[in-house]
Amino acid sequence: MRYPAVSFLRQNSMLFIRSFMIFFLTCITVKINLCFSSIPHSLNTLTLDGHFNFDEVHHAARDFGNICQFLPLAVLHPNSVSDIATTIKHIWEMGPDSKLTVAARGHAHSLQGQAQAHRGVVINMESLQGPKMQVYAGNSPYMDVSGGELWINILHESLKYGLAPKSWTDYLHLTVGGTLSNAGISGQAFRHGPQISNVHQLEVVTGKGEIINCSVKQNSDLFHSVLGGLGQFGIITRARISLEPAPDMVKWIRVLYSDFASFARDQEYLISAEKTFDYIEGFVIVNRTGLLNNWRSSFNPQDPVQASCFKSDGRTLYCLELAKYINTDEKDLVNQEVENSLSQLNFIPSTLFLSEVSYVQFLDRVHVSEVKLRSKGLWEVPHPWLNLLVPRSKIHDFAGKVFGNILTETSNGPILIYPLNKSKWDNRTSVVLPEEDIFYLVAFLSSAVPSSTGTDGLEHILTQNKRILGYCETARLGVKQYLPHHTKQEEWKSHFGPQWEAFVQRKSTYDPLAILAPGQRIFQKAITFS
């Protein structure tokens, strides 16, 4: 007779526990909702030179990658650095109970939502008004620029003084703060290092809302933390960029290889030799036919009769792209140096193409492709890019497996591959590099056709990227991601390796509540319900 009573009590206990859990979760939800409902009013109380927008926020939930979309609560259009500092300090003072986070959005060229902030505040860095670009000529020229300034504008302004930054990215329509938060790499990096190796000073707003000037000599830990720091330690609001004399013209050269070993050997020779070229990059051409008629359009063949005899026959080919800067009064000498350098290389002779263009035409070359793609509606499509840094000792294994096995069909975009000298990078910054003196950047710059389920579709390309990453991990190649994307903290720990503890320490110093750059998914803002 006691068993029914026991069963009845057990049922009542379960009912009570369920009711309590529903009540508890409801309280949490109500508290969060009440918190969010009060945020717009809270932000509107701030005294700013610029303004918040709480309605037109959908554009801030998109980026160049077109893969992730996280809607923010508000977009800040700052007119001054103090607007950014005031906003972050306000959120910092709200404490850990607030879920509010902040992301700096430059030209929105991130790939996986790194410049987005789900139900947070996105700062439109291109709205930032401050002192105009200022060029300082002299023995060691430099330029002071806003963190929201585009590199293309910096180029045009510095050229008025016959000067230009030393190191670039392939695409110049990016903001200073965006590229310096990663590294900034192009074909000049073998000689000058990445863009983060060519910065003298920064103005930074930390996760506590402090405005701090920093350099190698002043607040050096913050300076090195922010460079390549993925936006985790502060928002770059101003930078002092190193300059050099700008050339008059550029001799632009492309040659082809059918053998990867010769291609890699020549690239490594060029980045170590003196007086060769000012820009060295390479790319892979997978399974293309009718090749020369497609890719030489901007070049004048040196020997069109000989070049027309070359057939690609669908082979995987490797293109070496070179540039030599020319000043008009040294043109003959430069031409001789180019001829001497080319004579040391082992490319297919009939594939030599040369062209002379202006410095701006060369540096802004990708923008020409952008205009064409936009006109066809093919720019704002998903871009599942994968950028890897591969140790020199493993590049032949990598090429054999990836280009000879995983990528068997025509690629869905350019595949860049070129070596870099680690000695040109500052190991005090937050960037993670392979453990070898020479490593290769390999960038799979794919574009996906919307709604396609074929080999040009997003899912297929993402699966292909996973296969490449899986091979790198299984074969223990020591590869590191550039513009890294991970979703779990364990993956980030593996990415940073021995640098993880220092990275965490820097985070606790400069952004202890994990307010900044939530889209990187490295740290999650702590929330309490006391």
Side-chain angles (χ1 to χ4, degrees):
M1 295 295 292
R2 295 173 60 188
Y3 292 109
V6 171
S7 177
F8 176 75
L9 288 172
R10 185 175 297 161
Q11 289 177 5
N12 276 348
S13 296
M14 291 299 294
L15 185 62
F16 173 78
I17 292 171
R18 288 176 183 171
S19 299
F20 177 77
M21 288 302 295
I22 291 171
F23 173 76
F24 178 71
L25 292 172
T26 300
C27 287
I28 292 175
T29 303
V30 168
K31 183 166 185 177
I32 291 174
N33 287 337
L34 286 173
C35 178
F36 274 118
S37 65
S38 65
I39 285 172
H41 173 72
S42 172
L43 295 175
N44 272 329
T45 63
L46 302 179
T47 302
L48 303 174
D49 299 313
H51 68 279
F52 283 103
N53 195 317
F54 299 95
D55 301 317
E56 298 176 9
V57 298
H58 287 81
H59 70 283
R62 298 190 65 186
D63 58 19
F64 179 73
N66 259 309
I67 296 172
C68 300
Q69 293 191 19
F70 299 105
L71 198 66
L73 186 74
V75 174
L76 172 64
H77 298 270
N79 276 359
S80 64
V81 174
S82 65
D83 285 354
I84 298 172
T86 297
T87 300
I88 295 176
K89 186 175 182 181
H90 175 74
I91 295 171
W92 157 257
E93 290 176 344
M94 291 172 72
D97 283 348
S98 162
K99 288 188 70 174
L100 214 54
T101 56
V102 176
R105 184 180 193 267
H107 209 55
H109 213 259
S110 57
L111 301 171
Q112 299 278 355
Q114 289 93 335
Q116 299 175 28
H118 180 56
R119 301 199 75 175
V121 175
V122 170
I123 300 176
N124 181 2
M125 294 300 294
E126 290 187 86
S127 296
L128 180 60
Q129 302 294 317
K132 292 183 178 180
M133 290 183 281
Q134 187 73 44
V135 174
Y136 297 86
N139 293 331
S140 299
Y142 62 87
M143 187 173 185
D144 286 339
V145 299
S146 165
E149 193 62 76
L150 296 181
W151 286 100
I152 183 64
N153 297 335
I154 292 170
L155 173 62
H156 288 302
E157 182 65 23
S158 60
L159 283 176
K160 295 176 183 177
Y161 301 81
L163 300 167
K166 300 173 183 178
S167 192
W168 297 94
T169 56
D170 287 335
Y171 181 61
L172 302 191
H173 296 253
L174 304 171
T175 58
V176 169
T179 64
L180 296 184
S181 294
N182 289 282
I185 305 174
S186 187
Q188 305 87 1
F190 79 94
R191 175 167 294 162
H192 296 293
Q195 290 182 317
I196 59 172
S197 292
N198 295 277
V199 181
H200 296 313
Q201 186 175 310
L202 297 172
E203 179 186 71
V204 174
V205 180
T206 71
K208 299 177 183 178
E210 303 165 314
I211 302 174
I212 299 177
N213 288 310
C214 54
S215 64
V216 172
K217 296 181 179 180
Q218 178 187 16
N219 300 309
S220 62
D221 185 64
L222 177 61
F223 179 73
H224 294 118
S225 298
V226 169
L227 293 174
L230 306 176
Q232 294 300 304
F233 313 111
I235 295 175
I236 298 171
T237 52
R238 199 152 183 82
R240 178 165 290 179
I241 308 297
S242 179
L243 303 177
E244 67 176 359
D248 298 324
M249 298 287 290
V250 174
K251 186 174 284 290
W252 193 2
I253 303 160
R254 285 182 182 174
V255 293
L256 292 180
Y257 294 74
S258 58
D259 172 57
F260 181 78
S262 298
F263 169 71
R265 184 167 55 248
D266 281 358
Q267 280 195 316
E268 291 172 21
Y269 159 72
L270 289 173
I271 69 165
S272 61
E274 295 291 331
K275 291 187 178 180
T276 54
F277 294 95
D278 299 291
Y279 162 100
I280 298 169
E281 285 195 12
F283 54 91
V284 185
I285 304 162
V286 180
N287 197 23
R288 294 280 178 89
T289 57
L291 175 70
L292 294 186
N293 289 330
N294 292 330
W295 72 281
R296 73 180 184 187
S297 57
S298 61
F299 292 82
N300 295 316
Q302 190 181 54
D303 187 346
V305 176
Q306 188 180 12
S308 66
C309 298
F310 177 77
K311 303 294 181 184
S312 60
D313 297 326
R315 289 176 291 169
T316 295
L317 298 170
Y318 307 94
C319 174
L320 180 58
E321 185 172 43
L322 308 166
K324 185 74 171 178
Y325 297 162
I326 306 172
N327 289 317
T328 305
D329 58 347
E330 298 177 341
K331 191 170 184 178
D332 292 340
L333 176 62
V334 169
N335 285 336
Q336 185 60 51
E337 288 179 355
V338 168
E339 189 174 327
N340 291 340
S341 295
L342 290 175
S343 69
Q344 304 296 314
L345 307 181
N346 295 290
F347 55 87
I348 302 169
S350 62
T351 65
L352 175 62
F353 292 87
L354 300 97
S355 180
E356 284 189 16
V357 297
S358 73
Y359 191 47
V360 173
Q361 279 180 297
F362 173 69
L363 289 179
D364 202 28
R365 61 198 178 279
V366 177
H367 184 58
V368 177
S369 299
E370 176 190 354
V371 172
K372 292 178 181 178
L373 291 170
R374 283 190 183 277
S375 69
K376 298 176 182 178
L378 296 176
W379 182 256
E380 295 182 356
V381 299
H383 295 99
W385 287 8
L386 177 64
N387 298 273
L388 304 175
L389 303 176
V390 183
R392 173 180 177 268
S393 66
K394 303 295 183 181
I395 195 63
H396 294 273
D397 294 339
F398 180 92
K401 178 67 175 180
V402 175
F403 306 139
N405 189 309
I406 296 177
L407 296 179
T408 56
E409 299 164 337
T410 301
S411 58
N412 296 291
I415 303 174
L416 304 183
I417 179 168
Y418 56 91
L420 298 162
N421 291 312
K422 191 174 185 178
S423 62
K424 302 297 182 179
W425 297 62
D426 190 330
N427 61 12
R428 294 170 294 181
T429 68
S430 294
V431 175
V432 179
L433 302 175
E435 297 178 356
E436 291 190 10
D437 293 338
I438 294 176
F439 56 90
Y440 279 74
L441 171 71
V442 186
F444 302 88
L445 309 182
S446 303
S447 297
V449 176
S451 304
S452 173
T453 57
T455 57
D456 56 359
L458 179 60
E459 289 306 315
H460 176 84
I461 299 171
L462 289 174
T463 300
Q464 192 169 262
N465 288 349
K466 287 179 182 178
R467 287 187 64 196
I468 294 170
L469 289 171
Y471 161 68
C472 293
E473 185 174 353
T474 302
R476 298 185 177 183
L477 300 186
V479 168
K480 295 296 182 181
Q481 286 191 40
Y482 175 62
L483 308 178
H485 168 65
H486 300 289
T487 56
K488 300 176 183 176
Q489 196 169 85
E490 285 302 316
E491 295 172 344
W492 282 110
K493 286 182 181 179
S494 177
H495 170 77
F496 283 102
Q499 294 172 240
W500 172 248
E501 292 302 324
F503 197 83
V504 172
Q505 180 58 47
R506 286 172 163 178
K507 185 70 170 178
S508 67
T509 301
Y510 302 115
D511 182 27
L513 293 186
I515 290 169
L516 301 176
Q520 295 284 2
R521 303 176 186 85
I522 304 175
F523 302 99
Q524 186 172 5
K525 189 174 182 182
I527 306 170
T528 61
F529 296 102
S530 56

